[in-house]
């Protein structure tokens, strides 16, 4: 297989391919479970905790390992697809994702579930870049390609939006493993369809595959996240935490040096020299992190404190995700009409105000104001994410569009992972400070209960009815306080981001939507 050569004998990509709309349907169905898995677990945390006896640290890793590995693998898997063909990598990713989903559904322990989530991330990182690459190559006509990419974007936004709702519906009727098992029949349909429909003729490229650089990035991120979680939990000696943190930072510095010195870097970090790109990446990381962290916090508040079912929690969270799905087109229109700087800054200010207002609301009696604030928050953060894309793509030449897009995609996944980590760790610290354990509770059980609300319920299962009720009541009060502090802190961070973005985008007046 040589650079620029075509291999195979079957129908090629192209807008004249009579099966192009069937190909689009197949790859969008392949993409949907990958997107669903990013949000479907948010409402499953309480159920998972009880069923597997998982600690707070285990739960955070179950959720967090997926976007962490995706952040490190998306770009190298996209590069690999360019070298060996999108069809081959996509089919491999579908098989891995299907097998990992089945294994995750029947995982007997939290540790095994974390391992299956690693495989899910591997499969997902192979699927996502191939889907976009296949769409771009299948539709050569610009108008058809625009429609196809619009449908792809709608599937992505809708999948993220309905993830908590689907998760809640499944948990209302089946066991926790159903949120993973639902992927299996989808893959059993999509994999044969893609095998039959996707052309075997593909243009491929030569050159080195930077998987070693990806491992540096992944090792660095996991080590830093691990040191943050264990450091705040206080269960490891300070020397071990600092050693892990130092190792993680060293890996990230080495990764950055390799990117800056490589002729063809995996991620073009020199793009950070553009203030607009720097602003866009910061917005992508913070906005996606805030969205993931707030969803995770709300899902636990609704189920642990308000005693809602997973389905009721998913329905309660519809406004934030439905509004987020609508934010993209709104952001594009506003940016083209009024300019990127005011749209980006104002969206972050609105998100900060919404979070601050939500922090002081009583969720027991939400009325109309809480759903409205949730919708406003989802819309503002979505506009901010789209504005980050416009800032990034508008600041580079077309020749560097792929490199900028890779950097942005990594920023989204990294932001999601960091948001879950920071919210989860901060939640544990604040909860522990606010929990007033009932008198007479043994010290070891009191320490375990103070880690998280999930641990509080696990400890309560070991107590008499009276003591269990007292502990759960104390836990609910502590979590409500924790929930308010988290939202207020997030509001302050996003308000600070609005100010930073306002100054970074000072030279950007008006840009066309990408």
């Amino acid at each position: 297989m040589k650079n620029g050569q075509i291999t195979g004998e079957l129908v090629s990509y192209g807008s004249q391919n009579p099966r192009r709309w069937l190909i689009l349907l197949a790859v969008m169905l392949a993409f949907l479970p990958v997107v669903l898995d990013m949000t479907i677990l948010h409402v499953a945390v309480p159920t998972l905790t009880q069923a597997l006896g998982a600690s707070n640290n285990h739960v955070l890793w179950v959720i967090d390992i997926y976007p962490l590995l995706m952040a490190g693998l998306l770009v190298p898997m996209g590069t690999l697809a360019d070298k060996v063909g999108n069809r081959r990598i996509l089919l491999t990713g579908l098989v891995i994702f299907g097998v990992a989903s089945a294994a995750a559904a029947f995982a007997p322990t939290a540790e095994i579930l974390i391992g299956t989530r690693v495989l899910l991330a591997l499969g997902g990182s192979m699927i996502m870049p191939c889907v976009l690459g296949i769409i771009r190559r299948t539709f050569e006509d610009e108008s058809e390609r625009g429609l196809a990419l619009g449908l792809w974007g709608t599937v992505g936004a809708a999948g993220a939006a309905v993830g908590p709702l689907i998760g809640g519906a499944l948990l209302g009727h089946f066991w926790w493993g159903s949120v993973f098992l639902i992927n299996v029949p989808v893959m059993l349909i999509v994999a044969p369809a893609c095998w039959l429909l996707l052309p075997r003729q593909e243009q491929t490229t030569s050159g080195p595959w930077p998987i070693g650089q990806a491992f540096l990035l992944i090792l660095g991120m996991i080590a830093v996240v691990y040191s943050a979680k264990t450091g705040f939990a206080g269960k490891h000696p300070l020397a071990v935490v600092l050693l892990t943190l130092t190792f993680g930072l060293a890996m990230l510095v080495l990764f950055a040096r390799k990117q800056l010195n490589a002729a063809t870097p995996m991620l073009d970090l020199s793009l950070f020299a553009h203030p607009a790109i720097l602003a866009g990446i910061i917005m992508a990381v913070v906005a996606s992190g805030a969205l993931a962290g707030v969803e995770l916090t709300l899902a636990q508040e609704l189920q642990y404190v308000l005693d809602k079912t997973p389905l009721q929690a998913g329905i309660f969270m519809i406004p934030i995700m439905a509004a987020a799905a609508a934010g993209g087109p709104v952001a594009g229109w506003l940016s083209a009409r009024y300019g990127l700087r005011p749209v980006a800054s104002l969206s972050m200010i609105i998100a900060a105000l919404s979070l601050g207002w939500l922090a002081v609301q009583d969720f027991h009696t939400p009325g109309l104001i809480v759903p409205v604030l949730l919708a406003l928050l989802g819309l503002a953060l979505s506009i901010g994410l789209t504005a980050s894309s416009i800032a990034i793509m508008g600041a580079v030449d077309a020749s560097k569009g792929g490199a900028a897009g890779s950097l942005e995609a990594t920023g989204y996944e990294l932001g999601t992972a960091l948001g879950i980590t920071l919210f989860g760790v901060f939640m544990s610290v604040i909860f522990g400070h606010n929990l007033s354990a009932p008198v007479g509770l043994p010290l070891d059980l009191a320490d375990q209960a103070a880690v998280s609300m999930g641990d509080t319920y696990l400890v309560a299962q070991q107590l008499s009815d009276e003591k269990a009720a007292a502990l759960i009541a104390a836990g609910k009060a502590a979590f409500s306080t924790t929930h308010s502090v988290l939202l207020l802190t997030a509001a302050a961070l996003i308000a600070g981001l609005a100010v930073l973005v306002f100054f970074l985008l000072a030279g950007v007046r008006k840009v066309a939507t990408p």
Side-chain angles (χ1 to χ4, degrees):
M1 191 176 293
K2 297 180 181 179
N3 185 29
Q5 285 189 340
I6 308 295
T7 61
E9 300 177 351
L10 299 185
V11 181
S12 65
Y13 288 107
S15 61
Q16 298 306 312
N17 187 338
R19 299 184 298 185
R20 60 190 180 277
W21 297 107
L22 287 176
I23 291 173
L24 176 64
L25 177 62
V27 296
M28 286 196 306
L29 286 176
F31 177 57
L32 184 59
V34 180
V35 179
L36 284 174
D37 258 40
M38 293 180 181
T39 59
I40 200 170
L41 273 186
H42 290 171
V43 296
V45 168
T47 307
L48 267 175
T49 301
Q50 304 299 311
L52 296 180
S55 67
N56 183 61
N57 202 34
H58 282 143
V59 170
L60 288 181
W61 276 116
V62 167
I63 301 173
D64 220 4
I65 197 67
Y66 187 80
L68 264 179
L69 290 181
M70 290 277 277
L73 288 173
L74 275 176
V75 176
M77 286 304 173
T79 306
L80 181 62
D82 289 338
K83 297 182 183 307
V84 304
N86 284 286
R87 182 180 186 270
R88 185 180 299 178
I89 297 301
L90 176 63
L91 291 174
T92 304
L94 290 173
V95 171
I96 293 174
F97 200 88
V99 171
S101 296
F106 298 101
T109 65
E111 290 84 358
I112 294 177
L113 181 56
I114 293 170
T116 60
R117 290 281 282 174
V118 170
L119 289 178
L120 280 169
L122 175 62
S125 68
M126 299 174 82
I127 293 170
M128 285 187 71
C130 290
V131 167
L132 196 55
I134 288 171
I135 292 174
R136 285 176 174 171
R137 295 184 183 187
T138 301
F139 294 90
E140 293 179 354
D141 180 80
E142 288 189 5
S143 60
E144 286 192 349
R145 187 190 305 144
L147 175 59
L149 289 173
L151 291 172
W152 166 79
T154 301
V155 168
V162 301
L165 184 61
I166 292 176
L170 288 171
L171 291 172
H173 297 87
F174 308 103
W175 91 115
W176 64 267
S178 60
V179 300
F180 296 108
L181 196 62
I182 191 176
N183 295 331
V184 176
V186 176
M187 293 301 163
L188 288 175
I189 296 171
V190 170
C194 289
W195 186 83
L196 291 171
L197 290 171
L198 294 181
R200 298 180 186 180
Q201 290 182 333
E202 290 193 68
Q203 190 172 21
T204 58
T205 61
S206 60
W209 183 43
I211 188 62
Q213 298 177 25
F215 280 135
L216 288 177
L217 178 61
I218 292 169
L219 280 174
M221 290 190 302
I222 291 179
V224 170
V225 169
Y226 180 81
S227 63
K229 290 178 179 179
T230 55
F232 280 101
K235 293 185 177 180
H236 289 74
L238 181 60
V240 174
V241 173
L242 291 177
L243 186 62
T244 306
L245 178 61
T246 302
F247 172 77
L249 292 176
M251 291 297 100
L252 293 177
V253 170
L254 181 59
F255 170 79
R257 289 186 61 183
K258 284 186 173 291
Q259 302 315 296
L260 293 173
N261 295 327
T264 54
M266 190 184 87
L267 290 176
D268 190 355
L269 299 184
S270 66
L271 292 173
F272 279 114
H274 298 265
I277 294 180
L278 179 60
I281 295 298
I282 293 174
M283 287 176 65
V285 171
V286 175
S288 59
L291 193 58
V294 168
E295 286 172 9
L296 183 62
T297 306
L298 287 177
Q300 294 186 63
E301 170 81 10
L302 293 169
Q303 294 178 74
Y304 281 140
V305 179
L306 302 185
D307 297 320
K308 291 185 178 294
T309 65
L311 178 57
Q312 290 172 331
I315 293 172
F316 193 98
M317 294 169 64
I318 285 178
I320 188 172
M321 294 308 299
V330 174
W333 181 81
L334 289 174
S335 298
R337 185 174 179 84
Y338 299 107
L340 185 60
R341 187 189 191 194
V343 170
S345 301
L346 188 59
S347 67
M348 293 295 99
I349 290 174
I350 292 173
L353 292 174
S354 301
L355 279 169
W357 203 344
L358 281 169
V360 298
Q361 293 297 309
D362 183 1
F363 278 51
H364 289 86
T365 55
L368 184 62
I369 186 64
V370 170
V372 169
L373 288 173
L374 288 174
L376 198 59
L377 174 64
L379 181 64
L381 288 177
S382 178
I383 290 174
L385 286 170
T386 306
S388 72
S389 296
I390 296 172
I392 293 167
M393 294 304 174
V396 296
D397 296 328
S399 61
K400 290 194 173 183
S406 299
L407 198 60
E408 180 188 10
T410 302
Y412 289 148
E413 297 297 337
L414 184 58
T416 299
L418 291 178
I420 292 169
T421 296
L422 296 177
F423 269 75
V425 169
F426 193 29
M427 185 189 303
S428 179
V429 172
I430 302 300
F431 179 80
H433 283 307
N434 285 279
L435 180 66
S436 299
V439 177
L441 187 67
L443 184 59
D444 59 333
L445 293 181
D447 289 340
Q448 181 185 349
V451 172
S452 70
M453 191 66 198
D455 288 282
T456 298
Y457 272 91
L458 291 177
V459 171
Q461 294 174 359
Q462 307 173 42
L463 306 177
S464 64
D465 291 345
E466 183 179 351
K467 287 187 176 181
L471 179 61
I472 290 174
K476 287 183 176 181
F479 196 90
S480 290
T481 302
T482 303
H483 171 245
S484 297
V485 173
L486 279 172
L487 295 188
L488 285 172
T489 304
L493 288 174
I494 292 180
L497 173 65
V499 176
L500 177 63
V501 167
F502 183 80
F503 286 106
L504 286 175
L505 296 179
V508 180
R509 299 302 176 191
K510 200 171 185 179
V511 295
T513 56

